[in-house]
Amino acid sequence: MDLKFATIQEIKSLIEKKEVTPEQVLDFYLEQFAVIDPTIKSALEVFDKASILKSFSGKGLLAGIPGLIKDNINQEGRIASCGSKILENYTAAYDATVISRLKEEGALLVGRANMDEFAMGSSTETSAYCKTANPWDTSRVPGGSSGGSAAAVAAGLVPWALGTDTGGSVRQPAGFCNLVGLKPTYGSVSRFGVIAYASSFDQVGVFTHTVYDNALVYSAIAGVDEKDSSTLDLAKKDYTENLTGKFPTGLRIGVVENALEAAELDPEVKKVVEQAITDLEKAGVTVQRISLPALDYAAATYFILSRAEAASNLARFDGVRYGFRAPDIANLEEMYTKTRHDGFGQEVRIRMMVGNYVLSSSHAGKYYNKAKKVQRLIRGEFNEAFKDVDLLLMPTQACPAFKFGAYDDNKLQMDLQDYFTAAVNIAGVPGISIPCGFTDSGLPIGVQLIGPHLSEEKLFQVGHAYQQITDWHKKNPKV
Ligand code: GLN
């Protein structure tokens, strides 16, 4: 049975018709990992079959469907390293809420996905363990920070994967790897058991080939959780129910004009996204050009706020309670400094230093407090825009997948990867990246749809309808 690049929907139907058993499905994908992952390196660990099946509930929305989990999400009894040496030997004592919900829905969780250390990055190059390759061109990065999750789905190793998106870490790698990537409304998915980077932005997101599949996995994980007080009062429901394949009548999409004119945008990406807009217009969607001037400040605002939150969140890794502790230490202070110096990689250390700086009493007024004000401005602009249009559209990515090391000498340029995604996290609204074409050299490009709070259902409806008139998502790399 060849299940390579099969969608969840297809595998579900094969299982329901008893043409294949969950165990055979699992065997197929474990074999894919064994053959292909030595070149892609998407997983930090693939679990053994018996232990995967031990928690198999046998029923549910995702019964018998294998998926890969980003390594900053706790899976009971498994390591959760966050791609960092400091948590190399940390074993999760409990399941994150998203994990227990996936298990209840019958999902088979096959392993841990590589990631940028503590989700800080746009290329998965800051992982302490290995660099993950983009299945479309193995000399290029898969994007980040959820690069392992994206690469695994793109290479056909699993039909879905979980990532986290704090400033773009699901949507940007989805764009780089020709996948659908959802960053849900802040508070719609529980963060309980998700190791924090910047808590006011972090959300668990989903990678799949199709919007339909994405809605399925979202249905399994979304909803209020008493263990996470930041979750919204959202009842559980099946988001695939209203996926008719038609665009909602009267739909108005606002194309963010200044995003398409931004100097940061690669001309080839622009061309492909413009084509997607034309396709939507041809399908009868009303497209309106709008402007979001505050977008220009989103990456800088994200830069300050995310570092501030990271500095505070990562203070807990001190060699006392979790994971790594530096050996041969003379006293307590040396234990803290050596443990944190040797345990964290350079990118994480820089971010913590920047975070403490922008929070310090002498500089907070100039940086942190000012960034919080700009955040309100950005939120206000999104709210205004959604009075005129149902959804917004802009590019997901500034450029196509880049070569390993492309930004080694210019880290600041790497931060511009967040240009089109971070505003969505700052506003707390949902965004989804959908495959919309390729560059001349065959690298995938994604288009981003953004909606008001809790508009996931509409995003899925529109995205699913778009996938009925296009077949970009059906194209797969030769791996
Ligand atoms: N690229 C962004 C960063 O480096 C986004 C990270 C994320 O969403 N986790 O911070």
Side-chain angles (χ1 to χ4, degrees), residues 14 38 63 72 81 90-91 136 157 161 169 188 193 237 298 389 405 413 423 439:
L14 290 172
N72 56 353
S81 79
Y90 171 68
T91 301
W136 288 90
L157 309 182
S169 282
S188 69
K237 72 177 202 183
V389 294
Q413 201 62 29
T439 65

Side-chain angles (χ1 to χ4, degrees), residues 70 119-122 145 164-169 197 302 307 351 418:
K70 189 176 181 179
M120 298 178 184
S122 301
S145 62
T164 56
D165 189 315
T166 305
S169 282
Y197 158 25
Y302 167 74
R307 271 71 176 169
R351 290 196 189 205
D418 311 331

Side-chain angles (χ1 to χ4, degrees), residues 208 210-220 238-240 243 460:
T208 52
T210 65
V211 172
Y212 184 97
D213 281 4
N214 214 283
L216 255 180
V217 181
Y218 181 71
S219 306
D238 182 352
Y239 287 82
T240 62
L243 298 183
F460 291 140

Side-chain angles (χ1 to χ4, degrees), residues 124-166:
T124 314
E125 292 169 293
T126 73
S127 166
Y129 299 100
C130 60
K131 294 191 191 354
T132 299
N134 188 318
W136 288 90
D137 175 346
T138 51
S139 70
R140 292 174 190 271
V141 304
S145 62
S146 315
S149 308
V153 180
L157 309 182
V158 269
W160 64 274
L162 285 194
T164 56
D165 189 315
T166 305

Side-chain angles (χ1 to χ4, degrees), residues 372-416:
K372 286 304 275 184
K373 286 185 193 159
V374 181
Q375 175 174 30
R376 281 197 286 281
L377 199 77
I378 294 171
R379 286 187 174 195
E381 272 190 16
F382 272 98
N383 288 341
E384 278 305 307
F386 290 128
K387 287 180 185 159
D388 294 332
V389 294
D390 301 298
L391 302 178
L392 293 169
L393 181 153
M394 62 177 166
T396 302
Q397 61 208 83
C399 60
F402 48 87
K403 296 258 186 197
F404 287 110
Y407 294 107
D408 279 357
D409 298 328
N410 193 349
K411 289 272 194 262
L412 210 58
Q413 201 62 29
M414 175 90 94
D415 290 325
L416 288 176

Side-chain angles (χ1 to χ4, degrees), residues 297 300-308 353-376:
Y297 308 105
T301 308
Y302 167 74
F303 185 96
I304 293 169
L305 297 179
S306 61
R307 271 71 176 169
M353 275 193 276
V354 171
N356 284 318
Y357 180 83
V358 300
L359 284 171
S360 61
S361 55
S362 46
H363 296 98
K366 206 164 149 201
Y367 296 107
Y368 183 78
N369 299 343
K370 200 163 168 190
K372 286 304 275 184
K373 286 185 193 159
V374 181
Q375 175 174 30
R376 281 197 286 281

Side-chain angles (χ1 to χ4, degrees), residues 153-303:
V153 180
L157 309 182
V158 269
W160 64 274
L162 285 194
T164 56
D165 189 315
T166 305
S169 282
V170 169
R171 289 159 291 154
Q172 183 254 22
F176 277 22
C177 293
N178 204 41
L179 300 174
V180 176
L182 170 76
K183 195 294 280 186
T185 303
Y186 185 79
S188 69
V189 178
S190 170
R191 288 181 297 111
F192 178 75
V194 180
I195 301 171
Y197 158 25
S199 321
S200 80
F201 301 133
D202 297 344
Q203 272 295 284
V204 172
V206 183
F207 292 99
T208 52
H209 290 284
T210 65
V211 172
Y212 184 97
D213 281 4
N214 214 283
L216 255 180
V217 181
Y218 181 71
S219 306
I221 61 174
V224 64
D225 177 17
E226 61 178 21
K227 293 181 183 141
D228 174 359
S229 59
S230 69
T231 52
L232 302 166
D233 188 15
L234 183 67
K236 199 171 159 51
K237 72 177 202 183
D238 182 352
Y239 287 82
T240 62
E241 244 166 30
N242 295 319
L243 298 183
T244 59
K246 299 255 178 311
F247 290 100
T249 33
L251 176 74
R252 288 161 313 160
I253 293 186
V255 170
V256 184
E257 184 93 78
N258 55 312
L260 285 167
E261 296 310 324
E264 287 72 13
L265 185 62
D266 177 280
E268 267 203 287
V269 177
K270 178 174 171 171
K271 200 174 99 192
V272 172
V273 172
E274 290 279 12
Q275 183 58 49
I277 298 166
T278 310
D279 292 342
L280 285 166
E281 280 179 313
K282 277 197 202 137
V285 175
T286 306
V287 172
Q288 196 168 314
R289 302 262 163 175
I290 68 133
S291 162
L292 277 182
L295 187 68
D296 263 350
Y297 308 105
T301 308
Y302 167 74
F303 185 96

